[in-house]
Amino acid sequence: MKKILIIEDEMRIAELERDYLEVNGHSSDIATTGEEGLKLAKENNYDLIILDLMLPGVDGFDICRQLRDRLDIPILMVTARKEDIDTIRGFDRGADDYIQKPFNPSELVARVKAHLTRYERLVGKNRQPNEIRIKGLHIDLESRRLYVNEEEKELRAKEFDLLVLFASNPDRVFTKEELFERIWGIDSFGDITTVTVHIRKIREKVEEVSSNPKYIQTIWGVGYRFKK
Ligand code: CA
C-alpha cells in the first residue's frame, strides 16, 4: 500500500481523489492549504504527492519548488487551466506530471500508478545490496545475521559491524586506529585493544582455523585486511 498526499483546497475534489486512490489500494492524507501540505510532507514518508496549482496563500508553484528541495518522490500537479501547464513546464524543478481539471479519476489513478512504478524502478537501482556473499560467508544486512557455510553464527553488534566493514571493502588494509574510529567512534571510551579483542572473537566464529585465518588477515605492523 502506498501513501499519497493530496494538497487540494476544494474538499469535493480532494475527497474524490482520495476515494479513487483508496479503491485502488492506496492510503492518502488531505491538506487543504499549501502550508499544511508542506508540514505533512515533512512529517510523513509519502510515496507520491498530488498537488493543486491554485491554492489559497502559498500557491502550487512555490509548494512544488519547496517540496522538490527536500523530496525526490513523484509530484503530480493538477490545474484547471491548460496555459498553466506550459508555465510550469518552464520551471527547472517542476512537477513530474500535469493533469488538467476536470479530469477522469481513472486517468488520475492510472498516472499515479505509472509514476509509482517508475519511481520504484529508479530507486531500486540505487538501493544498497542487502546481503554480502564471499566464499563461505553469507551476511544478511537486513536481519543482521551471519551464516558460515550455511550455519548461523551469533555475532555481537560491534563484531557484526566490523565484519560488514571488512567484507564491504575486500583487500583494503585498515589500521586498528581506523577501525576503532569507524566502528566505535572517535569520542567513545575504550582503546584500540578493543579492536584486537573483537577481531579475535570474529575469527573464532568465522574461521575454520583461527590461527590461520582465511578471511581477516593480519598485516604485521599495519593492521588487517579482508581477503576475498
Ligand atoms: Ca484550487
Side-chain angles (χ1 to χ4, degrees):
M1 186 175 67
K2 300 294 181 187
K3 261 179 89 179
I4 294 164
L5 174 62
I6 299 166
I7 308 177
E8 168 66 68
D9 60 316
E10 280 175 76
M11 209 52 192
R12 185 181 54 84
I13 295 176
E15 286 174 352
L16 177 76
E17 292 172 351
R18 186 190 59 196
D19 291 349
Y20 267 83
L21 291 168
E22 275 178 9
V23 166
N24 284 274
H26 305 303
S27 75
S28 43
D29 293 334
I30 295 174
T32 52
T33 64
E35 290 87 345
E36 194 193 343
L38 281 173
K39 187 169 171 281
L40 281 175
K42 281 173 195 163
E43 291 167 356
N44 299 277
N45 283 323
Y46 293 107
D47 298 292
L48 183 143
I49 296 175
I50 298 174
L51 172 64
D52 180 37
L53 178 63
M54 299 297 278
L55 292 166
V58 191
D59 72 15
F61 286 124
D62 272 340
I63 301 294
C64 189
R65 255 184 315 216
Q66 291 187 49
L67 289 171
R68 268 287 166 259
D69 285 343
R70 46 184 306 131
L71 296 170
D72 63 352
I73 58 170
I75 299 175
L76 267 63
M77 202 171 244
V78 178
T79 169
R81 299 192 311 163
K82 178 100 174 56
E83 309 87 80
D84 291 333
I85 296 180
D86 300 326
T87 316
I88 310 165
R89 283 196 203 281
F91 282 96
D92 270 355
R93 295 151 71 78
D96 294 271
D97 204 353
Y98 313 91
I99 296 167
Q100 200 183 338
K101 284 182 190 173
F103 53 81
N104 175 345
S106 310
E107 159 93 23
L108 177 82
V109 170
R111 296 230 204 150
V112 164
K113 198 177 159 200
H115 282 282
L116 287 172
T117 309
R118 196 178 64 99
Y119 183 69
E120 254 177 21
R121 261 205 316 266
L122 204 74
V123 175
K125 267 188 202 149
N126 301 324
R127 195 175 287 160
Q128 296 293 314
N130 54 14
E131 61 168 29
I132 300 173
R133 285 177 189 268
I134 294 175
K135 290 186 279 194
L137 291 190
H138 173 197
I139 306 169
D140 187 323
L141 299 170
E142 262 169 31
S143 63
R144 290 179 63 90
R145 288 198 165 98
L146 168 72
Y147 303 89
V148 182
N149 301 322
E150 277 155 49
E151 189 190 329
E152 187 173 355
K153 301 280 179 178
E154 298 266 341
L155 288 189
R156 305 185 68 164
K158 296 293 188 203
E159 294 167 6
F160 189 86
D161 294 342
L162 254 181
L163 182 63
V164 169
L165 177 63
F166 274 119
S168 309
N169 299 278
D171 283 334
R172 196 191 138 174
V173 177
F174 288 98
T175 63
K176 284 182 197 173
E177 289 79 7
E178 204 179 350
L179 292 170
F180 185 74
E181 202 180 306
R182 294 275 289 261
I183 302 296
W184 282 268
I186 196 149
D187 297 327
S188 63
F189 296 100
D191 58 79
I192 60 167
T193 55
T194 313
V195 176
T196 319
V197 173
H198 277 73
I199 285 179
R200 197 181 67 228
K201 294 275 184 203
I202 297 173
R203 280 177 174 159
E204 284 168 9
K205 292 165 190 175
V206 307
E207 302 287 356
E208 276 162 38
V209 187
S210 252
S211 55
N212 182 22
K214 65 172 179 178
Y215 295 110
I216 301 176
Q217 301 186 315
T218 305
I219 310 296
W220 293 108
V222 186
Y224 300 95
R225 176 174 65 199
F226 187 90
K227 194 158 179 290
K228 206 172 179 173

